[in-house]
Amino acid sequence: MKIIKFIIIVVLGFSFVFSSSKNRFPKRVSHAPLSVDFGHTRENRDENELNAYIEQTMAMNYIPGLSVSIVKNGSIVWGNNYGYANTADSILVNQNTLFLLSSVSKTITATALMQLWEEQYFQLDDPINNYLPFTVSHPDYPNTELTFKMLLTHTSGIKDRWNTMTYYDGDPELELGYFLEEYLISGGEFYNANGNFTNSNPGTNYEYSNIGAALIGYLVEVISEIPFNEYCNENIFEPLEITNAGWFLSEIDIDELAIPYEISGGSGNTCYEIGCGIYDENNPCSCDSECEYYDDCCSDYEDICGEFGTGSGDGTVTLNAINHYGYADYPSGQLRMSAYDLSKITIAYLNNGLYQEFQLLEANTIELIKSIPYPNVDPVQGLIWYYKNESERTLFGHNGGDSGSSTEMFISFSDEIGVIILSNIDNYNALIQIENALFDFAEEITLSALDDLNIEHFSLIQNYPNPFNPVTAIQFSVPKDSYVNLKIFNILGKEVATLISGDVSAGYHKVIWNGRDKTGKPLSSGMYFSRMESGSFSVVKKMVLLK
C-alpha cells in the first residue's frame, strides 16, 4: 500500500456554538475578478516552518479544519491535514476527510461535458436548444442562440437570482431538470426576465453564473441519458479509483465529511475588537477578506489580519457549526471530495489528461479548456477554468466559496506544480496566504513521489522542542489503520488534554500541542506526559513546559 505523508495539526481553545452569520459575497461566486493584491512576499520555508505558518494563519483566522495537497511532476508529493473536521466530537481532519468543494465542483462538471464533446455528441458553437427538452432564450435577445461555449465561459446572459436558489437541509428537494426549466422558461415557477438574465446580448458580456454551470450538468444528463451524478461516478470517479465522493449526501460516507462552520464576531471600529474575517454591516468598518476591494477596512486591518498580523482579541470571534446542505442547481458547487482524491484530477490536467493508465481527457481537449474563447470579453476565462496572476505566478484553476467552505485548486503549468486547499469555513484571504506559501515551498524544496514507508511498528517520538514554550510537536507512527488515543497528563496523573481519540490512517503523523487544557486554558509551567495507546500498544514520553 502506498502511504502519503500526511500531518495532523491541532489547535485547542476555540469557542463553538450553533448559529449563522452573514456573507458579504453571494454564495458560490468566484473571487477571481477582484484582482486584489495581497502583498505577498515570497518566503523560503522548510517543512516545519511551513506547518508553523499554516497553523498560525489558521489560528488567527479561526479556521477549524484544513487539508492540502501538492502535486509536482505528475505525482502527489506532499499532503498535510490540520485541525478538526468536527470540533464537537474532536474528530480530526485526515487524508480521507471529505470537504464541500463549492465552485471547484464546476471543474468536474466541465470535465464531464468535455468528455462528451470528445465523443462528438456536439460542437461548442452548437445551440444548446438543439439538445434540451425545453427552449432557453434571452428575453431581450430572443434571436441570439445560446451555445455550449457561452455556458462554459459565463457569457450566456443567464444570471443567478439568489432568492430562488434555495439552500435545503440535506440533499435538494427538487430535481435538476425541473428546477432549471422552471427557472429559465417564461411562466415557470422561478422565472423572472429581469432577475434571471443580464441586459447584455449573449456572448458579449461576462456574468459569473451558477445556473449556467448547472445547465452544463443538465446537458451532460440529457445527452448521455444518464443522471449527471451517475455519469460522474461511472466516467470520472470510478476510473480514477475515487471511492468516496459524491454530489449528494446520500452517496457518501457522511462520517468522513467535514462539518461546515461560520464565524460571528464582536463590534467596534478596529479589527482587534471585531475579529479577523468578519463583515457586519452594523460596524463602521470591516475585517473580512473583501474589505480591501470595498475599501472599508478598519485602520488596523493589516496589523491585525494581514499576512503577518497578530490576530484579534481573545474571545472576540465565535465559531458556529451549520448543517450540511444542498441545492437544486447542484452541478455548480455541491460535490464533496477529499484533497487527496482531487489531486488525481489535478495530475490528469498537468499530464495531458492522463492519470496513471486512465485518460480522463485527451491532450487537445486540455489545451482547448486552457484557451481563451472570448479574449475581448474576459481575457482570463477559459472553459470554466480560468487564469489568475498571483505573486508573479500565472495560475490556472478555480476557487470556491460557500457557507462553511473555502477551496482552491490551481496549477502552475510552467513549474508543473498543482496546489489544492480545502477548508470547512469561508475565508478566501487566509487560503490565498496559505496557497502562496505552498507554491513557494513546492518551488524551492526538492519533492519527489513518496515511496512505500513500510512502517512495521507503532511508535511515539519524543516531542520537539523539549522543553517548550508554548508549542511543541509530537510525532507518531502506526503500521495500519488504527484507533489511537494520544493524551496529555500532568505530574499527578490527571488527564489535561486529548489530542487524538479516533481512527488514524497508517503512516507518520504529527500533532502540534499549544500547552492548553481541554477548555483552552493555558497550563502552568511544569512536567507533563504524552501517552499514546492503540490496542495493546502503550507508551509514555516526558516533556517540560517552561514559561
Side-chain angles (χ1 to χ4, degrees):
M1 181 175 85
K2 179 161 284 191
I3 302 169
I4 303 297
K5 181 182 178 187
F6 277 80
I7 299 170
I8 301 171
I9 294 186
V10 179
V11 181
L12 300 176
F14 286 132
S15 171
F16 306 107
V17 298
F18 290 80
S19 183
S20 63
S21 63
K22 295 182 178 180
N23 289 323
R24 179 190 298 233
F25 268 83
K27 302 175 181 72
R28 288 173 283 139
V29 172
S30 165
H31 293 263
L34 297 182
S35 300
V36 176
D37 181 7
F38 290 97
H40 171 72
T41 301
R42 294 199 184 193
E43 299 281 344
N44 295 330
R45 299 181 177 92
D46 62 24
E47 184 176 347
N48 290 332
E49 292 169 333
L50 175 65
N51 283 316
Y53 174 76
I54 293 175
E55 181 196 15
Q56 177 189 11
T57 303
M58 288 179 65
M60 188 175 69
N61 290 278
Y62 305 94
I63 298 174
L66 194 77
S67 186
V68 305
S69 184
I70 296 175
V71 169
K72 191 172 185 179
N73 300 323
S75 299
I76 303 172
V77 295
W78 202 73
N80 295 9
N81 301 297
Y82 306 82
Y84 292 97
N86 181 330
T87 61
D89 296 331
S90 299
I91 298 174
L92 298 170
V93 175
N94 61 53
Q95 179 177 335
N96 300 316
T97 299
L98 308 180
F99 289 83
L100 178 67
L101 298 189
S102 301
S103 285
V104 171
S105 305
K106 293 179 175 69
T107 63
I108 311 302
T109 301
T111 298
L113 184 70
M114 295 307 290
Q115 286 181 332
L116 296 176
W117 175 82
E118 288 183 345
E119 298 297 322
Q120 300 184 355
Y121 280 101
F122 65 91
Q123 298 300 314
L124 292 181
D125 288 320
D126 284 351
I128 60 174
N129 287 330
N130 292 352
Y131 302 85
L132 290 170
F134 50 83
T135 300
V136 181
S137 64
H138 194 297
D140 297 334
Y141 303 93
N143 295 325
T144 301
E145 294 279 9
L146 275 62
T147 67
F148 289 87
K149 187 183 293 183
M150 291 175 187
L151 292 179
L152 288 163
T153 54
H154 299 289
T155 59
S156 69
I158 297 173
K159 188 168 66 173
D160 297 330
R161 187 160 59 94
W162 290 99
N163 61 356
T164 63
M165 298 164 66
T166 303
Y167 277 56
Y168 297 96
D169 244 354
D171 286 330
E173 298 174 7
L174 299 180
E175 295 289 338
L176 174 63
Y178 171 82
F179 172 76
L180 289 173
E181 183 171 1
E182 295 298 312
Y183 188 97
L184 294 168
I185 302 305
S186 179
E189 180 182 356
F190 311 115
Y191 184 82
N192 182 293
N194 293 326
N196 295 6
F197 294 88
T198 68
N199 297 324
S200 301
N201 196 357
T204 66
N205 186 60
Y206 174 94
E207 173 86 13
Y208 189 84
S209 176
N210 289 287
I211 298 297
L215 191 54
I216 292 172
Y218 185 57
L219 282 161
V220 171
E221 186 169 296
V222 172
I223 293 170
S224 69
E225 299 182 342
I226 303 172
F228 175 70
N229 61 311
E230 294 181 15
Y231 178 91
C232 292
N233 289 338
E234 295 175 14
N235 295 277
I236 299 176
F237 304 152
E238 291 175 9
L240 290 172
E241 298 182 346
I242 298 174
T243 58
N244 190 20
W247 293 96
F248 298 116
L249 295 166
S250 58
E251 295 180 297
I252 62 174
D253 181 356
I254 202 165
D255 290 336
E256 297 282 2
L257 178 60
I259 289 177
Y261 293 88
E262 295 180 326
I263 56 176
S264 56
S267 60
N269 56 13
T270 67
C271 289
Y272 184 82
E273 297 169 299
I274 295 170
C276 297
I278 299 297
Y279 166 71
D280 186 336
E281 60 187 9
N282 295 317
N283 288 323
C285 56
S286 302
C287 304
D288 63 332
S289 59
E290 288 83 31
C291 72
E292 293 181 311
Y293 173 75
Y294 286 97
D295 194 26
D296 62 358
C297 297
C298 296
S299 59
D300 65 343
Y301 174 76
E302 188 63 31
D303 292 337
I304 299 297
C305 304
E307 183 172 358
F308 302 103
T310 57
S312 53
D314 292 339
T316 301
V317 174
T318 301
L319 198 60
N320 313 307
I322 57 180
N323 293 330
H324 296 302
Y325 55 82
Y327 28 79
D329 56 306
Y330 73 89
S332 69
Q334 199 177 285
L335 183 59
R336 294 169 170 96
M337 186 181 288
S338 69
Y340 177 80
D341 281 336
L342 189 57
S343 298
K344 299 174 182 179
I345 305 290
T346 308
I347 289 171
Y349 271 78
L350 271 166
N351 195 33
N352 294 318
L354 182 67
Y355 176 78
Q356 295 183 356
E357 302 300 319
F358 174 57
Q359 193 75 45
L360 177 66
L361 291 170
E362 298 297 330
N364 67 309
T365 307
I366 299 292
E367 291 304 311
L368 182 59
I369 291 171
K370 291 164 60 179
S371 68
I372 308 295
Y374 297 108
N376 294 329
V377 175
D378 192 322
V380 299
Q381 182 65 55
L383 300 185
I384 290 295
W385 298 60
Y386 60 82
Y387 293 89
K388 67 174 181 177
N389 291 315
E390 197 168 271
S391 300
E392 301 178 352
R393 296 185 183 94
T394 298
L395 303 179
F396 185 70
H398 213 291
N399 75 339
D402 211 332
S403 297
S405 169
S406 196
T407 57
E408 294 280 317
M409 179 176 70
F410 280 94
I411 293 169
S412 171
F413 283 106
S414 61
D415 300 307
E416 295 187 21
I417 294 171
V419 166
I420 292 166
I421 313 172
L422 308 180
S423 69
N424 53 348
I425 199 165
D426 186 7
N427 193 317
Y428 175 66
N429 193 9
L431 259 66
I432 292 300
Q433 295 173 24
I434 293 171
E435 181 178 76
N436 283 325
L438 290 168
F439 271 108
D440 291 347
F441 176 73
E443 287 179 3
E444 298 298 329
I445 302 298
T446 301
L447 297 169
S448 58
L450 298 173
D451 298 321
D452 292 349
L453 300 180
N454 295 323
I455 299 169
E456 298 179 356
H457 306 288
F458 291 94
S459 67
L460 177 64
I461 301 168
Q462 184 65 53
N463 66 298
Y464 179 83
N466 190 39
F468 66 97
N469 176 28
V471 174
T472 190
I474 303 171
Q475 299 185 68
F476 66 95
S477 65
V478 294
K480 59 183 180 180
D481 294 356
S482 305
Y483 192 93
V484 172
N485 281 307
L486 181 57
K487 300 182 177 182
I488 307 298
F489 297 84
N490 63 19
I491 197 168
L492 299 177
K494 179 182 177 181
E495 180 185 326
V496 296
T498 298
L499 304 185
I500 293 177
S501 183
D503 294 324
V504 173
S505 58
Y508 289 103
H509 301 273
K510 180 191 291 183
V511 177
I512 303 297
W513 183 44
N514 57 4
R516 295 175 180 263
D517 66 13
K518 295 178 179 179
T519 68
K521 180 181 178 181
L523 292 167
S524 59
S525 298
M527 186 179 297
Y528 294 88
F529 301 89
S530 59
R531 185 175 75 189
M532 174 184 171
E533 294 180 325
S534 183
S536 60
F537 174 81
S538 180
V539 65
V540 175
K541 297 289 184 179
K542 181 173 65 176
M543 49 189 176
V544 178
L545 171 60
L546 293 179
K547 291 188 175 181

